[in-house]
Amino acid sequence: MAAPASQATPATPATRTGRSSPAYAVEESARGRVVTDAPLSRPVPVVLRYDAGFSPATVRFVFPGDIEWSFPRALLETGLRGPTRRGDIEVWPCGRVQTVVEFHSVDGVAVVQFDTTALTRFLRHTYAATASRTTR
């Protein structure tokens, strides 16, 4: 899942280079499964990040190789209930317990399947982080 060196627009990949690791309001690990034509999908660790101070409407998925995709939190939330797409990101439920996130780039398409409970928990934590930030 290659990504260009950097992109400033949401819903496109960005590779973080040379930056120190900032503190995120929410940072959780998730296990995705890369779906291919092969009989077996392969697991991939994904870090789910959210920082209300940086961009309260954006979530980030970070893949091995420090490849980061940023896209609207609302897109992820809507995609848990039904198919939705914005720009280079498509999200849809796959059965009752899985959610698929599809990432499009000039290098191709990566289809990654997640447990819906992990994404739901992450979203719940992002809203809690936003609420605690506004009540300070």
Side-chain angles (χ1 to χ4, degrees):
M1 177 183 327
S6 67
Q7 296 285 331
T9 59
T12 54
T15 302
R16 296 178 349 115
T17 57
R19 289 191 253 165
S20 61
S21 180
Y24 294 95
V26 178
E27 181 170 287
E28 298 180 8
S29 296
R31 182 188 315 245
R33 298 201 69 77
V34 177
V35 179
T36 65
D37 292 339
L40 298 175
S41 57
R42 62 181 171 86
V44 60
V46 181
V47 176
L48 310 176
R49 290 184 178 153
Y50 174 75
D51 182 356
F54 176 73
S55 178
T58 303
V59 294
R60 300 176 187 162
F61 282 33
V62 184
F63 293 88
D66 216 15
I67 296 170
E68 183 176 288
W69 286 80
S70 299
F71 56 96
R73 176 172 61 174
L75 179 70
L76 179 60
E77 184 172 17
T78 302
L80 295 177
R81 295 185 305 273
T84 187
R85 180 175 183 154
R86 181 165 176 199
D88 299 320
I89 307 287
E90 191 167 355
V91 184
W92 69 90
C94 180
R96 293 189 295 182
V97 297
Q98 301 290 311
T99 299
V100 173
V101 183
E102 190 172 285
F103 303 92
H104 296 257
S105 76
V106 295
D107 296 324
V109 177
V111 179
V112 185
Q113 190 174 40
F114 294 91
D115 286 338
T116 301
T117 55
L119 299 179
T120 302
R121 181 177 48 247
F122 170 67
L123 282 171
R124 191 172 51 247
H125 293 160
T126 69
Y127 284 108
T130 303
S132 69
R133 184 174 167 77
T134 59
T135 59
R136 288 182 193 172

